[in-house]
Amino acid sequence: MNTSKLSLIAAVLLLAGMAHADEAAPNADKRAVSLAVQRDGQRNQSAAAAVSLPVGERAWVQLGAGQSRSQDLASGDSVKPRQVAVGGGVAGKAWQASVNVNRRRDGERLRQTDLATAVDWRPAGGVNVGIDAVKRSARARGTVASSGGAATPVEQRLRGHGLGVHGAVAVTPRLSVYGAVMRNRYTTSTTQATSSSGLLAGVPLLSNRVTAINRDEAALDRSHQLGATYRVGERVALNGEVMQDRLHDGGSLRSVQMKAAISAGAGWTVTPGIGRSRGPQGGVNYGLLGASYAW
C-alpha cells in the first residue's frame, strides 16, 4: 500500500485510538478493518483493504491486499500490480515497534518487494517521534525502442534501502502537526532479456508514471511530508498534507491533498479527500475515499 493510503489508514486508526484512550492495553486501538480507493485524471487508480487485530495485550498483526493501475500517457501501456501485505508489531505504554512486508506483482512484467520497519516513542504527552527503515527489491521486464526502431526486450532490476525520521506534536487539544523525511539509496541495472511483456516506463522502474496515487511504487531518492490535523468537533477531523519527492532519475513529484475523517457512529469512520500532484507526466487532480470500522 502506498504512503497516501497508509497515512489515511493511520489517521483513521489515530481517531480510533482517541476513542479508546481510557483502555489500559497498549494495543487497544489495533482492532480495525479499513478500505481505501483512489483515482486521478490520468486513469491511475488503486484500491486496498487492511485488517488489524490485537494479540494479547501488547502485540498486533495486520494483513492487507489490493491492486493498482499505472497508465503511461505516451504509449497507452499500463501496469496493474496486485499487492499483498503482512505485518505486525508490539507496543508499550510510551513506545511501539512494527514491521511490514509488501509484495507487488503483475505477472512477469513487474515484481517488487518492500520491507519496512518503524519504531515510535512518546517522550511526553502529545509528542511522538520515530525512525523508519525500508528495503526494496524490484524487477521489471519489457521492451525499449532501439536506434533502428525495433523493440528490444530488456530486464531492469532495482535494489536499495532507506532511512528516515517522523514526528507529530499536538499543538492544542484540537490541532496537531506532523512531518516525515526519508532518504533512499538505489542501484539499477538494465540488461537484454530473452523474453518481454509490455513496455518499460523508463529508468528507474515506473518513473514517468508517478503521481500521488502510486508514489510508493516508484524509486524516490528523497521524500518530505508535512501535514496538520484539526478536530472540528467530536465527529469530524480535517487534515491537510503536502509532499515533495525527488525521483531516482532526477525528476520530481509534488502533491497536496485535503481530507476529512468523519465519525459515522457505531465504530465507523468515513474519510473522503481530494488532491493534486505534479510529476513527470504533468499535473493531475485526484480523489480518495476511505472507510474504517473499529471495535
Side-chain angles (χ1 to χ4, degrees):
M1 287 175 287
N2 64 36
T3 303
S4 298
K5 289 180 285 189
L6 290 176
S7 63
L8 187 154
I9 294 171
V12 172
L13 294 179
L14 175 62
L15 293 177
M18 291 178 177
H20 294 82
D22 295 334
E23 301 203 16
N27 62 355
D29 62 338
K30 304 301 183 182
R31 185 179 285 106
V33 59
S34 58
L35 173 68
V37 294
Q38 300 181 102
R39 183 180 174 89
D40 66 24
Q42 295 177 356
R43 300 180 63 190
N44 301 299
Q45 63 185 37
S46 65
V51 58
S52 177
L53 296 172
V55 178
E57 294 187 354
R58 293 184 177 274
W60 73 91
V61 295
Q62 181 171 316
L63 303 175
Q67 185 169 18
S68 64
R69 180 179 71 186
S70 301
Q71 188 79 18
D72 190 310
L73 296 182
S75 66
D77 186 47
S78 63
V79 177
K80 302 177 181 179
R82 295 181 178 179
Q83 306 172 42
V84 177
V86 179
V90 62
K93 290 185 178 180
W95 62 273
Q96 72 174 32
S98 62
V99 60
N100 183 78
V101 178
N102 190 316
R103 299 199 67 181
R104 299 180 179 91
R105 181 174 179 177
D106 183 7
E108 292 298 316
R109 303 183 64 190
L110 174 67
R111 294 185 181 184
Q112 181 173 304
T113 301
D114 291 329
L115 172 64
T117 60
V119 177
D120 287 83
W121 178 49
R122 295 186 298 276
V127 178
N128 180 86
V129 294
I131 299 175
D132 304 286
V134 298
K135 184 177 182 180
R136 169 169 294 182
S137 176
R139 187 198 73 186
R141 289 181 176 176
T143 58
V144 294
S146 63
S147 57
T152 301
V154 297
E155 178 178 283
Q156 188 177 74
R157 292 182 179 270
L158 179 145
R159 294 181 182 275
H161 60 275
L163 187 66
V165 296
H166 64 268
V169 178
V171 181
T172 71
R174 291 182 177 271
L175 176 65
S176 62
V177 296
Y178 61 91
V181 178
M182 178 69 73
R183 178 72 166 89
N184 300 302
R185 296 182 182 276
Y186 293 111
T187 59
T188 61
S189 63
T190 303
T191 58
Q192 188 166 344
T194 57
S195 62
S196 63
S197 177
L199 294 173
L200 284 177
V203 181
L205 294 169
L206 302 182
S207 62
N208 67 353
R209 292 189 178 108
V210 183
T211 73
I213 303 298
N214 52 31
R215 66 189 287 268
D216 271 9
E217 298 175 16
L220 307 178
D221 278 353
R222 299 176 183 175
S223 62
H224 303 80
Q225 184 180 35
L226 181 64
T229 301
Y230 181 75
R231 294 181 62 84
V232 178
E234 294 299 322
R235 292 183 174 273
V236 180
L238 302 178
N239 174 260
E241 186 174 273
V242 294
M243 295 171 284
Q244 181 163 332
D245 309 304
R246 181 176 178 81
L247 305 178
H248 187 60
D249 67 347
S252 64
L253 174 69
R254 300 180 179 88
S255 307
V256 57
Q257 68 179 22
M258 295 288 295
K259 57 191 177 187
I262 305 170
S263 174
W268 285 97
T269 302
V270 180
T271 310
I274 58 173
R276 180 172 177 80
S277 66
R278 175 170 290 277
Q281 294 194 130
V284 61
N285 298 324
Y286 64 92
L288 58 91
L289 180 63
S292 174
Y293 175 67
W295 70 96

